[in-house]
Amino acid sequence: MQKKLFSALFVFIIIILLVGCIESSDSSNDSEEDGLTTITTVRTQDDGTVYKDGEDVNDNVVTRWAEEELGINFEYLWTRPNDEQYNQQIRLMMSSNEPLPDVFQVTDTQLIADLVESGKVQPIGEVIDEHAPDRLKEIFNEFSDAFNQATIDGERYGLPRFSGGNGTESLMWVRQDWLDNLGLEAPETLEELEAVMDAFVNEDPDGNGEDDTFGLLLSAGEVGFGRTNIGDTSPVFGMYGDYVPGLWSEDENGVLVYGSIQESMKDGLVKMKEWMGEGYISQELAIAPADQAQEIFVSGKAGLAFGPPWAWDWPFGETKTNDPDAVIKPYQLPSGPDGEMGRKGESLLTGSFLFSSEFDDWDKFFEYWDETYGYILNDSEYFEDGLFEGYDYIMVDGEPVYDPNVIEEETGEEKVDPGRYFLPTNVPTFPYKMYGLLQEFHENPDKEPSGAYETDLAQRDPEYIEAAAIINRSNDIRIENKFTGAPTETMADQWSNLEQLELEIFADIVMGNVEVDAFDDFVEEWKERGGDQVTEEVNEWYDQVQSAE
């Protein structure tokens, strides 16, 4: 009896398994008939991402293009409004043992390290060799340092989400109308800079009869010297050597050293102290946040500022709201006593794509990523006239038109940017591409743009194009941060204290609260309180990532 019951049960189980196999096979066949590969992902989505009526993150012109042309169904599991909430949600998924998205971007280096340690993401070095198209491999090889952020124990885990390479780097913005009012030329050297600042402070450049102007906008605020974009102080330190505050740079022996403790810092601090004593810069330099400090320039109270090309639109563009006659022009940074110039360099990447350990649809992912690069490379069968008709352009008499006013008039809808719908938040780029093209347009005014991407760039304001050209012509003066890994063990314990120590002593020297010799005491204390150990750990990391290249 038991044997019969066992046999019946065995047959029943076999039938269930066969049915399951058939259902699974049917499901697989349905997927093959659809011809779609589903790739799950997540993203940040702030208020700047605007969809047309009826569209959303999972159904828009980009997701439909990917589905119809590439056979990819992108499924966004969730969105968050900012990096902080995004990172928290990724951590929650990791700690609760939820399946991770197939592909997702991470900017937090500690989170990258934790995900790798969890075993929930996979290395991609061999994957790139086997599946990435040749033109992507060329970009990856040219900017191989960008892989360092997510290289752990000699293995590459992250695919770089490249930045513009130099898009946030500083040049000098000048109130040209003030120069003209006083019969001055834009300064090219430190000596000339100080002469112009003195005139801007003491010779009433705005002609209002009041003693109410500064020479130069600088800002450190609560984040520290050399760490802001608007009112950037790094060019002051760059006049005196190859180091700027807050960055880890190679010394003459190829060893990483921390810029803030180098001897050349003293020269930059002393110079700013002198300028403050002369009234050339605001007393608020060391304490005002950047957004507050920039009002000194925007309100027409300062005649010079260090900042990136995009500052032309905002915030400096608001200057004309307060003074319609204001004329602002971009110039190269002034050189120091020995002819040196330097500025903090932008990171080569904005984050890294990580891939779930379960993901294996590599050919489809790289097909998508390669096609999106086709837009900026002017080599795409899909984006010859622009991204999507009715979004970033319309056709008029057989020609693409990019004017927002014409687009809105023809479509009856506000122009939106479909580039923000791509994975993860925008059309990809790679270092120096954008400013390189803008330099070409500046130096060759008769150059005809080729393709939609170049046409969009060529239509930018002349001042912005000139500023980009100035930056790109001087890439040799950028001072890069070579440490892009997760916080080291000692950093995790001591770095916030060391940064606070740095911020306080830099501010005290510039404000005149202590003598400059206090800098030497700061360096010794920094080293003793963990700085030397951090330096050792940073170089251990650097040796590892270099050997992985």
Side-chain angles (χ1 to χ4, degrees), residues 473-494:
R473 278 198 299 263
S474 57
N475 284 330
D476 59 326
I477 70 170
R478 58 195 309 274
I479 300 171
E480 296 183 44
N481 184 29
K482 293 289 189 176
F483 176 66
T484 56
T488 69
E489 182 178 356
T490 306
M491 271 185 172
D493 292 335
Q494 299 295 333

Side-chain angles (χ1 to χ4, degrees), residues 430-470:
F430 58 89
Y432 319 127
K433 174 65 175 178
M434 179 177 173
Y435 282 6
L437 287 170
L438 289 171
Q439 180 184 344
E440 291 181 24
F441 288 125
H442 177 67
E443 296 176 351
N444 303 287
D446 296 330
K447 172 182 168 62
E448 288 292 327
S450 177
Y453 180 68
E454 291 190 12
T455 300
D456 175 66
L457 294 181
Q459 295 175 343
R460 305 292 178 91
D461 289 343
E463 293 85 354
Y464 173 76
I465 293 177
E466 182 178 5
I470 291 170

Side-chain angles (χ1 to χ4, degrees), residues 101-370:
D102 291 326
V103 54
F104 55 104
Q105 178 176 273
V106 181
T107 58
D108 184 287
T109 53
Q110 184 60 61
L111 180 54
I112 290 173
D114 293 343
L115 285 161
V116 170
E117 185 178 0
S118 76
K120 293 181 178 295
V121 295
Q122 58 180 301
I124 61 167
E126 293 183 2
V127 165
I128 292 174
D129 292 339
E130 295 175 8
H131 298 276
D134 288 342
R135 70 178 173 187
L136 291 186
K137 287 179 181 177
E138 290 176 7
I139 297 172
F140 296 157
N141 290 335
E142 183 175 358
F143 304 106
S144 59
D145 283 357
F147 283 89
N148 292 351
Q149 182 187 72
T151 296
I152 298 176
D153 295 332
E155 289 273 16
R156 288 178 170 178
Y157 285 86
L159 189 73
R161 178 65 163 85
F162 290 111
S163 71
N166 52 6
T168 61
E169 295 176 17
S170 291
L171 67 154
M172 181 172 62
W173 292 97
V174 184
R175 283 291 299 266
Q176 185 67 41
D177 53 323
W178 287 17
L179 288 176
D180 295 343
N181 289 345
L182 301 177
L184 300 172
E185 298 292 328
E188 296 182 359
T189 66
L190 174 59
E191 183 179 5
E192 293 173 356
L193 174 66
E194 291 181 326
V196 169
M197 287 196 295
D198 189 79
F200 281 179
V201 169
N202 298 308
E203 297 182 20
D204 192 23
D206 58 358
N208 68 354
E210 298 182 18
D211 183 16
D212 62 349
T213 51
F214 293 103
L216 175 66
L217 164 66
L218 291 176
S219 172
E222 75 278 15
V223 297
F225 289 75
R227 293 165 173 83
T228 58
N229 288 321
I230 308 301
D232 180 17
T233 60
S234 75
V236 181
F237 297 99
M239 293 180 185
Y240 297 98
D242 296 329
Y243 305 102
V244 296
L247 303 188
W248 291 86
S249 306
E250 286 188 352
D251 67 6
E252 62 275 9
N253 300 314
V255 174
L256 293 192
V257 294
Y258 188 53
S260 300
I261 66 167
Q262 304 309 307
E263 187 70 13
S264 60
M265 294 296 103
K266 294 167 69 172
D267 295 317
L269 293 171
V270 167
K271 183 54 63 178
M272 283 185 278
K273 178 182 178 180
E274 291 177 7
W275 290 350
M276 188 168 287
E278 296 289 345
Y280 297 163
I281 59 178
S282 168
Q283 296 281 337
E284 302 295 308
L285 158 67
I287 56 178
D291 58 347
Q292 179 180 327
Q294 68 196 27
E295 286 299 316
I296 296 173
F297 192 92
V298 171
S299 64
K301 299 304 180 185
L304 303 107
F306 299 142
W310 51 257
W312 162 254
D313 293 317
W314 182 89
F316 297 157
E318 296 182 6
T319 306
K320 294 184 72 68
T321 301
N322 298 314
D323 181 1
D325 295 326
V327 179
I328 304 170
K329 288 195 63 177
Y331 289 94
Q332 180 55 280
L333 297 171
S335 60
D338 297 324
E340 291 189 85
M341 290 185 287
R343 61 178 187 251
K344 73 173 184 293
E346 181 179 72
S347 171
L348 295 181
L349 75 169
T350 62
S352 296
F353 286 121
L354 299 183
F355 299 85
S356 164
S357 56
E358 306 299 321
F359 181 70
D360 63 1
D361 290 310
W362 295 108
D363 287 332
K364 278 298 180 185
F365 171 79
F366 278 114
E367 180 184 8
Y368 166 81
W369 202 231
D370 185 57

Side-chain angles (χ1 to χ4, degrees), residues 323-537:
D323 181 1
D325 295 326
V327 179
I328 304 170
K329 288 195 63 177
Y331 289 94
Q332 180 55 280
L333 297 171
S335 60
D338 297 324
E340 291 189 85
M341 290 185 287
R343 61 178 187 251
K344 73 173 184 293
E346 181 179 72
S347 171
L348 295 181
L349 75 169
T350 62
S352 296
F353 286 121
L354 299 183
F355 299 85
S356 164
S357 56
E358 306 299 321
F359 181 70
D360 63 1
D361 290 310
W362 295 108
D363 287 332
K364 278 298 180 185
F365 171 79
F366 278 114
E367 180 184 8
Y368 166 81
W369 202 231
D370 185 57
E371 288 296 345
T372 58
Y373 266 102
Y375 170 64
I376 68 166
L377 293 171
N378 190 32
D379 183 18
S380 170
E381 63 177 295
Y382 302 110
F383 308 125
E384 183 177 352
D385 295 317
L387 288 174
F388 297 100
E389 186 175 358
Y391 289 77
D392 60 322
Y393 76 98
I394 58 171
M395 300 300 291
V396 177
D397 297 329
E399 296 294 330
V401 174
Y402 306 95
D403 187 321
N405 295 323
V406 176
I407 293 173
E408 291 174 7
E409 182 178 347
E410 290 293 321
T411 63
E413 296 181 83
E414 183 178 352
K415 180 181 181 290
V416 298
D417 178 10
R420 295 181 68 95
Y421 308 164
F422 283 87
L423 178 74
T425 54
N426 218 324
V427 175
T429 186
F430 58 89
Y432 319 127
K433 174 65 175 178
M434 179 177 173
Y435 282 6
L437 287 170
L438 289 171
Q439 180 184 344
E440 291 181 24
F441 288 125
H442 177 67
E443 296 176 351
N444 303 287
D446 296 330
K447 172 182 168 62
E448 288 292 327
S450 177
Y453 180 68
E454 291 190 12
T455 300
D456 175 66
L457 294 181
Q459 295 175 343
R460 305 292 178 91
D461 289 343
E463 293 85 354
Y464 173 76
I465 293 177
E466 182 178 5
I470 291 170
I471 290 291
N472 208 64
R473 278 198 299 263
S474 57
N475 284 330
D476 59 326
I477 70 170
R478 58 195 309 274
I479 300 171
E480 296 183 44
N481 184 29
K482 293 289 189 176
F483 176 66
T484 56
T488 69
E489 182 178 356
T490 306
M491 271 185 172
D493 292 335
Q494 299 295 333
W495 197 247
S496 61
N497 295 330
L498 293 176
E499 283 192 314
Q500 186 61 32
L501 183 68
E502 172 190 331
L503 175 60
E504 290 174 359
I505 194 63
F506 276 38
D508 281 341
I509 291 173
V510 172
M511 298 291 289
N513 298 331
V514 298
E515 296 299 321
V516 70
D517 290 344
F519 178 85
D520 299 324
D521 297 330
F522 150 71
V523 172
E524 290 304 313
E525 186 175 358
W526 185 91
K527 291 180 176 182
E528 292 172 0
R529 289 175 59 176
D532 274 346
Q533 183 61 33
V534 169
T535 301
E536 183 178 328
E537 293 167 357

